[in-house]
Amino acid sequence: MLVLDVQGFPGSVGGYAPIEYMSILAARVFGAELVVVRRERRKPALLAEAILAQLGRRPRGSEPCLVVAPWPSDLDEVIKIRDWRSRLGPIVGWVIDSFAHECGSNATRRLHAYDHVFSSHLEDVDYLRRQSLARTSWLPVGSDVLGLGSDRSDRPFDILRVGRQPDEWDDDAVTAESCRRRNLSFHGRFPNGRDVVENQRILHDYYSRAKFCMAFCNLAAPAPYTHHRRAYLTARWVDAISSGAVVAGIRPSEPDTDRLLWPEATLELGTIKREEGLDLLVDAVQDWTPERAVLNRAMALQRLDWRLRFKEIADLLGVDPPILRSELEQIRRAAGDNVVSPRLAH
């Protein structure tokens, strides 16, 4: 089997890093070859050149393939590379920022050549299906709950800051002083890891030491690289929750969020104002108990683990990898019989 991760930007430990980590994890549990294609700009010729250089002359055959791509147009460009499709057996595509069709990335003419296309966002499934005539379904963001999640009870940080924040929350020194006045412990920015695997381990380690992790949806805390109209769930949310933390801020108002998360996973502040938000967090921290971390990790095992997503892919490709089967059994033993399939939920 082949896992092809098409990255729209040079390798880094930035926003796409959790997806690169997911591809590494997928290759391991599928027992697959991982090919990561990086390019500096979104140009079709560069993509074709990079993929062909990585793949070389693969023999024609029945090798199944998973293509992970940031945008719908990336899936489209991959499939039109001459003679590439004929070298493979069943092939599925997984588009991560599926909402990018609203950002000028609307090339979906060849997606019907995939045996199946997964959209990471539920709202885009019907659009991709109509535009491309491809068999399309929802396969949402996940987390390595089994490998990196935590329900530890000792959490020295009342509040943890990770990633993009509204302007009022962006200065860690100011936030730390506001927390100190309220007898709240706060931890701000911390160094990234040297690569995506180390970085994910560092992130989960910090999440596992926090009661609450601050995160605001992209409409409440916009940035040039986020969608300007659609609020969406990102890896920061599910990774923090899988390590037992409660995410405090303003959660995305998209169908995915309501289907994937549960009330105890988040604390809705309803404001981006720092002082008002911290006043609400004072009471929340006082009410917090270690049982909240246990619940969040248990629910994350049932709903958020990447391996649950990989099972959907394995079924479509007609494969039954022993490592995936074994680790799904570990999840079932830990989570009971309440594992949720995105396909059934949809």
Side-chain angles (χ1 to χ4, degrees):
M1 179 172 166
L2 174 69
V3 175
L4 174 62
D5 184 358
V6 181
Q7 299 189 12
F9 307 97
S12 70
V13 291
Y16 197 76
I19 303 303
E20 183 174 352
Y21 177 87
M22 179 273 290
S23 296
I24 294 169
L25 180 63
R28 182 183 67 78
V29 302
F30 278 113
E33 176 188 356
L34 173 63
V35 174
V36 176
V37 178
R38 296 186 174 99
R39 64 196 191 286
E40 303 253 340
R41 299 176 301 282
R42 293 181 181 276
K43 290 187 176 180
L46 292 177
L47 174 60
E49 180 182 347
I51 289 177
L52 292 175
Q54 289 280 353
L55 295 180
R57 292 183 173 273
R58 302 184 77 84
R60 296 177 186 271
S62 59
E63 183 179 17
C65 179
L66 166 65
V67 180
V68 181
W71 286 7
S73 59
D74 291 313
L75 284 184
D76 195 76
E77 294 295 342
V78 166
I79 208 68
K80 76 179 185 183
I81 296 173
R82 186 176 179 180
D83 293 334
W84 187 73
R85 176 66 179 89
S86 65
R87 303 179 192 183
L88 298 164
I91 177 172
V92 300
W94 192 358
V95 57
I96 303 305
D97 290 345
S98 52
F99 50 74
H101 67 79
E102 298 183 356
C103 305
S105 174
N106 55 7
T108 56
R109 294 183 297 276
R110 283 161 288 269
L111 296 194
H112 62 275
Y114 288 85
D115 292 281
H116 199 91
V117 172
F118 289 112
S119 166
S120 281
H121 297 275
L122 183 59
E123 288 184 72
D124 303 309
V125 170
D126 289 340
Y127 173 86
L128 293 174
R129 186 182 295 143
R130 288 194 312 270
Q131 293 298 312
S132 66
L133 302 179
R135 286 176 286 181
T136 309
S137 61
W138 178 48
L139 200 64
V141 67
S143 181
D144 184 4
V145 191
L146 183 66
L148 299 178
S150 173
D151 58 6
R152 64 180 282 182
S153 59
D154 176 25
R155 294 182 178 250
F157 311 141
D158 292 327
I159 300 170
L160 175 67
R161 179 257 169 83
V162 176
R164 170 176 45 84
Q165 301 289 335
D167 289 344
E168 284 202 32
W169 290 89
D170 198 45
D171 190 319
D172 287 348
V174 173
T175 301
E177 176 58 24
S178 295
C179 288
R180 188 193 62 77
R181 293 198 302 268
R182 293 171 171 83
N183 293 318
L184 296 173
S185 58
F186 170 77
H187 198 291
R189 294 173 177 87
F190 48 87
N192 289 329
R194 293 166 295 181
D195 56 51
V196 295
V197 173
E198 182 185 51
N199 199 62
Q200 284 299 110
R201 294 187 183 280
I202 290 172
L203 280 167
H204 279 268
D205 178 61
Y206 276 92
Y207 291 140
S208 73
R209 290 186 277 165
K211 300 180 181 76
F212 293 87
C213 177
M214 301 304 304
F216 295 81
C217 77
N218 55 294
L219 296 186
Y225 52 85
T226 62
H227 199 287
H228 64 285
R229 289 192 304 105
R230 287 267 303 274
Y232 49 91
L233 199 64
T234 61
R236 174 174 47 161
W237 292 71
V238 293
D239 284 345
I241 293 165
S242 77
S243 284
V246 178
V247 179
I250 295 180
R251 65 188 249 169
S253 56
E254 66 169 351
D256 305 53
T257 308
D258 294 335
R259 288 177 182 249
L260 287 173
L261 302 187
W262 50 98
E264 296 85 357
T266 61
L267 173 66
E268 184 66 25
L269 297 181
T271 178
I272 61 172
K273 294 187 178 299
R274 183 187 60 251
E275 299 303 311
E276 293 179 14
L278 287 174
D279 287 342
L280 295 171
L281 279 160
V282 169
D283 293 335
V285 168
Q286 290 177 348
D287 292 339
W288 184 89
T289 65
E291 286 73 23
R292 179 68 67 90
V294 173
L295 173 66
N296 279 351
R297 182 173 186 267
M299 292 294 291
L301 279 169
Q302 296 172 19
R303 298 189 181 190
L304 301 179
D305 197 283
W306 283 124
R307 295 159 186 82
L308 307 179
R309 316 296 186 247
F310 299 157
K311 180 63 166 65
E312 302 279 326
I313 296 167
D315 288 346
L316 276 165
L317 290 174
V319 298
D320 183 26
I323 296 176
L324 177 60
R325 190 187 328 126
S326 172
E327 294 186 2
L328 284 170
E329 181 57 33
Q330 293 178 49
I331 290 174
R332 292 190 185 96
R333 288 199 299 267
D337 297 323
N338 300 312
V339 172
V340 174
S341 164
R343 188 188 303 168
L344 294 177
H346 183 37

